[in-house]
Amino acid sequence: MSSDCIFCRIAAGEIPARLARQDEEIVAFHDVAPQAPVHLLVIPRRHLARLDQTTPQDAALLGRMVRTAIELATETGCADGFRLVWNCGEPAGQSVFHLHLHLLGGRPMSWPPG
Ligand code: AMP
């Protein structure tokens, strides 16, 4: 855990968040500034700053994060159409440097993304 990381602190229960799911490895919670009717963040408890800092040993974790997001899409009623987003690095829009997967749904979405 990184004590100056806001998502580590959410995972540790030190900062409040609207939790959707948690287990020994993964926590999912509602984004504080939702960009869609459904906007959840799926994070690992382990501090990893960026998607490109993961290694082949993290493949199972990444798969579990994706599966968690898919299951949450069903639970939140947007299984018919949803978007999963990983922002990696500031130019791509990453603002919190603890690995997270966005689940967005509940409205029509355009392409390309901004
Ligand atoms: P990104 O821009 O991909 O790094 O996404 C970071 C996301 O974290 C943004 O959508 C923020 O709204 C969200 N966020 C930041 N702080 C919190 C918080 N304390 N609780 C929930 N979501 C947060």
Side-chain angles (χ1 to χ4, degrees):
M1 171 172 166
S2 170
S3 59
D4 57 357
C5 170
I6 192 164
F7 286 1
C8 279
R9 297 187 69 195
I10 286 174
E14 295 176 7
I15 291 179
R18 214 176 123 212
L19 296 186
R21 183 183 287 203
Q22 61 176 326
D23 62 23
E24 69 288 342
E25 197 177 22
I26 286 171
V27 180
F29 53 94
H30 293 260
D31 196 292
V32 75
Q35 302 301 308
V38 173
H39 188 173
L40 298 177
L41 301 171
V42 180
I43 70 167
R45 287 189 184 276
R46 179 160 63 99
H47 184 79
L48 288 158
R50 297 166 49 118
L51 185 59
D52 60 358
Q53 289 180 357
T54 60
T55 69
Q57 283 68 44
D58 296 315
L61 172 67
L62 294 171
R64 285 206 60 226
M65 290 174 70
V66 171
R67 281 300 319 164
T68 297
I70 293 167
E71 289 167 17
L72 288 169
T74 299
E75 286 176 20
T76 55
C78 65
D80 56 325
F82 59 91
R83 187 172 288 180
L84 303 185
V85 176
W86 313 85
N87 292 326
C88 183
E90 276 179 19
Q94 185 174 3
S95 61
V96 176
F97 284 80
H98 180 122
L99 182 65
H100 53 280
L101 175 58
H102 294 257
L103 164 63
L104 296 145
R107 65 165 170 82
M109 291 182 204
S110 59
W111 193 262

